[in-house]
């Protein structure tokens, strides 16, 4: 091998040398620095000729499907009719569903105590985690504080779960229609999203055969949303066990989005996935937002169910490390958590569910008799999905066009289900005051009756 020699020129603390091979000086200048008498080469720096600051790949790949669709819609309400927004999944918007007084008192006591003004551990205060563990622990799925991580809302819990289980190039199985955040988080991390079908004619049960057909060697997580946003469906125990069987056969952990857990209408029951699992490890995500009607308080949690130690220490350590990136859950709410969970009266929960069920029944009954609409009665949560026989509405090309014109003509805004990758449906939020729900349904009926055609133009052409 040829040996390099250097012609060295010393200048202050740096050394400029011209490299040569076999005595031949090479063109160009190599910079060296002297450290304790030894010379180290330093790559020559070139100055940038102009400013060029680019966004990260992660930011470019981050897209919220709801915002992408809604921001592109031309929403100009009818000035002669008051706007009724049935699109926002925030139960506090209209002021008719306040949280309970015991919940408010718990927050006041937390503030007045002056104990929760500082930083908490990244996973949350021990006492607060113990409260969550005690609240959700069952004989079939016992929990302790070490199985609980407190987060900034359920969204952060979902983020932690996806991030700890998946690598770029992996894929996750996501319900369709389903909550858009799963895709937003996954795609930004280079994770592929595979959509498995839900069946509207079976109250949005999972198409189990389709689900299992999507599994491959890079499938790292199955997301199950129960009760469902956007469908309002609640899976029966038998169906949940079948989902677990698919996960067990294919050795896939489950992310259980259970933010609406216990928001099940009277007459229906749906146990947590973890209480039914024999061997499938589950990360369950929940929070205060919906059941306690305080989404702005940003208090969520992630529950680790892994009785067979399949996750081992690495997944747990990974969750702790990820929780340290940004300190999440509000300390004031953490301080109030034990009192909130222990002292909220059961009548508060039952009254909320009674109202949601009543509004759902009103909406379902009214829209069931509207030509061209096919509502699916929910069993829980706070949503109802409505199918649109778009071929009977030739004035509109799709659900986005349909809902946009509904705003223009009737000042009623329902979210087009294309935002959930399920075209020709729209989602209704049933948290509005009852009189507003009745009025909204009447306007939707008027709108549909004015645009409905018994058959499409294409069908008429064929008849001729």
């Amino acid at each position: 091998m040829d040996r390099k020699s250097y012609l060295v020129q010393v200048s202050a603390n740096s050394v400029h040398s011209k490299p040569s091979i076999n005595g031949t000086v090479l063109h160009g200048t190599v910079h060296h620095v002297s450290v304790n008498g030894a010379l180290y080469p330093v790559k020559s720096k070139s100055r940038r000729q102009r400013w060029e600051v680019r966004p990260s790949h992660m930011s470019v790949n981050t897209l919220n499907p709801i915002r992408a669709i809604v921001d592109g819609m031309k929403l100009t309400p009818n000035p002669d009719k008051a706007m009724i927004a049935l699109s926002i999944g925030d139960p506090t918007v209209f002021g008719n569903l306040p949280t309970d007084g015991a919940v408010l008192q718990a927050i006041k006591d937390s503030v007045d105590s002056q104990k929760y003004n500082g930083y908490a551990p990244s996973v949350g205060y021990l006492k607060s985690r113990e409260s969550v563990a005690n609240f959700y622990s069952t004989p079939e799925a016992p929990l302790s504080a070490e199985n609980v991580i407190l987060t900034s809302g359920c969204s952060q819990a979902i983020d932690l779960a996806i991030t700890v289980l998946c690598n770029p190039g992996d894929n996750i199985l996501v319900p369709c229609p389903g909550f858009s955040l799963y895709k937003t988080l996954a795609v930004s991390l280079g994770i592929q999203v595979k959509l498995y079908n839900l069946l509207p004619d079976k109250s949005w049960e999972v198409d189990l055969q389709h689900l299992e057909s999507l599994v491959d060697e890079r499938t790292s997580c199955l997301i199950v949303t129960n009760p469902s946003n956007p469908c309002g469906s609640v899976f029966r125990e038998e169906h949940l066990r079948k989902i677990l069987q698919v996960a067990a056969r294919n050795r896939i952990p489950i992310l259980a989005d259970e933010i609406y857990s216990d928001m099940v209408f009277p007459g229906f029951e749906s146990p947590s996935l973890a209480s039914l699992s024999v061997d499938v490890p589950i990360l369950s995500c929940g929070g205060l937002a919906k059941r306690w009607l305080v989404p702005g308080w940003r208090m969520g949690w992630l529950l680790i169910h892994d009785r067979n130690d399949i996750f081992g220490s690495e997944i747990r350590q990974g969750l702790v490390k990820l929780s340290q990136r940004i300190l999440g859950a509000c300390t004031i709410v953490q301080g109030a958590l034990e009192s909130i969970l222990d002292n909220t009266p059961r009548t508060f929960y039952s009254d909320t569910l009674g109202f949601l069920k009543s509004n759902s029944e009103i909406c379902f009954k009214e829209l069931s008799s509207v030509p061209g609409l096919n509502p699916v009665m929910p069993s829980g949560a706070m949503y109802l999905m409505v199918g649109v026989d778009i071929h009977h509405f030739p004035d509109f090309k799709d659900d986005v066009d349909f809902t946009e014109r509904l705003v223009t003509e009737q000042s009623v805004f329902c979210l087009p289900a294309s935002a959930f990758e399920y075209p020709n449906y729209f989602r209704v939020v049933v948290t509005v005051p009852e009189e507003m729900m009745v009025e909204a349904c009447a306007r939707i009926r008027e709108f549909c009756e004015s645009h409905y055609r018994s058959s499409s133009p294409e069908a008429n052409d064929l008849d001729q």
Side-chain angles (χ1 to χ4, degrees), residues 304 306 308-317:
I304 305 169
D306 184 30
N308 295 328
D309 201 31
I310 294 171
F311 284 147
S313 62
E314 291 185 347
I315 293 296
R316 293 173 181 272
Q317 290 171 1

Side-chain angles (χ1 to χ4, degrees), residues 15 40 173 184 195 254 274 282 291 341 347 357 433 443 447:
V15 178
Y40 297 91
L173 308 180
T184 299
L195 302 175
I254 290 179
I282 295 172
R291 192 182 185 198
L341 298 178
T347 53
K357 182 183 180 183
R443 294 188 197 176
F447 175 80

Side-chain angles (χ1 to χ4, degrees), residues 22-330:
N22 293 333
T24 300
V25 177
L26 303 177
H27 294 288
T29 301
V30 178
H31 299 275
H32 290 69
V33 294
S34 176
V35 180
N36 296 329
L39 297 177
Y40 297 91
V42 178
K43 185 177 181 180
S44 179
K45 295 181 179 179
S46 61
R47 292 183 178 177
R48 294 175 179 172
Q49 299 303 308
R50 57 191 175 88
W51 283 99
E52 191 173 8
V53 182
R54 296 182 178 276
S56 68
H57 294 305
M58 182 177 183
S59 68
V60 170
N61 291 331
T62 298
L63 175 70
N64 185 320
I66 293 180
R67 293 262 50 92
I69 288 178
V70 173
D71 291 349
M73 297 175 71
K74 298 177 182 178
L75 301 176
T76 307
N78 183 336
D80 297 327
K81 297 188 176 186
M83 184 68 176
I84 301 177
L86 304 179
S87 57
I88 306 171
D90 181 347
T92 71
V93 168
F94 295 96
N96 60 311
L97 290 174
T99 191
D100 191 75
V103 178
L104 297 177
Q105 189 59 51
I107 287 291
K108 294 173 184 177
D109 292 344
S110 178
V111 172
D112 290 343
S113 74
Q114 296 285 335
K115 294 179 180 179
Y116 306 106
N117 295 333
Y119 291 122
S122 65
V123 295
Y125 289 121
L126 175 61
K127 185 177 181 182
S128 304
R129 290 185 288 123
E130 287 175 342
S131 299
V132 173
N134 291 336
F135 191 80
Y136 286 103
S137 186
T138 66
E140 301 81 11
L143 285 168
S144 62
E146 66 178 7
N147 304 125
V148 178
I149 294 177
L150 301 183
T151 59
S152 179
C154 185
S155 296
Q156 190 196 11
I158 294 169
D159 185 22
L160 292 180
I162 291 175
T163 307
V164 80
L165 293 175
C166 308
N167 288 306
D170 287 350
N171 63 76
I172 61 175
L173 308 180
V174 172
C176 181
F179 186 36
S180 61
L181 181 67
Y182 311 137
K183 183 174 182 178
T184 299
L185 295 173
V187 173
S188 70
L189 296 170
I191 299 162
Q192 180 187 6
V193 172
K194 292 185 176 184
L195 302 175
Y196 64 85
N197 294 331
L198 304 182
L199 304 171
D201 57 337
K202 294 186 177 181
S203 299
W204 301 109
E205 286 190 347
V206 175
D207 183 336
L208 296 169
Q209 185 175 356
H210 181 239
L211 168 64
E212 193 154 17
S213 73
L214 299 174
V215 177
D216 63 23
E217 67 279 358
R218 294 301 301 270
T219 302
S220 55
C221 175
L222 164 60
I223 296 181
V224 178
T225 314
N226 186 49
S228 168
N229 174 14
C231 301
S233 55
V234 176
F235 295 149
R236 295 170 291 109
E237 178 178 333
E238 177 186 2
H239 190 61
L240 289 173
R241 290 190 184 277
K242 290 179 179 179
I243 295 171
L244 285 167
Q245 289 170 6
V246 173
R249 277 196 301 270
N250 294 278
R251 307 295 191 269
I252 303 171
I254 290 179
L255 188 170
D257 183 350
E258 297 178 327
I259 185 63
Y260 295 98
S261 69
D262 299 313
M263 294 188 72
V264 177
F265 295 165
F268 297 90
E269 292 183 1
S270 186
S272 69
L273 264 176
S275 68
L276 303 177
S277 177
V278 176
D279 54 357
V280 178
I282 295 172
L283 298 178
S284 174
C285 302
L288 291 182
K290 309 299 184 176
R291 192 182 185 198
W292 285 267
L293 307 176
V294 287
W297 289 9
R298 311 311 302 144
M299 172 54 64
W301 44 74
L302 186 149
L303 311 180
I304 305 169
H305 295 280
D306 184 30
R307 294 189 295 282
N308 295 328
D309 201 31
I310 294 171
F311 284 147
S313 62
E314 291 185 347
I315 293 296
R316 293 173 181 272
Q317 290 171 1
L319 286 168
V320 172
K321 290 177 181 178
L322 289 171
S323 74
Q324 294 168 347
R325 295 177 67 200
I326 298 176
L327 296 182
C330 172

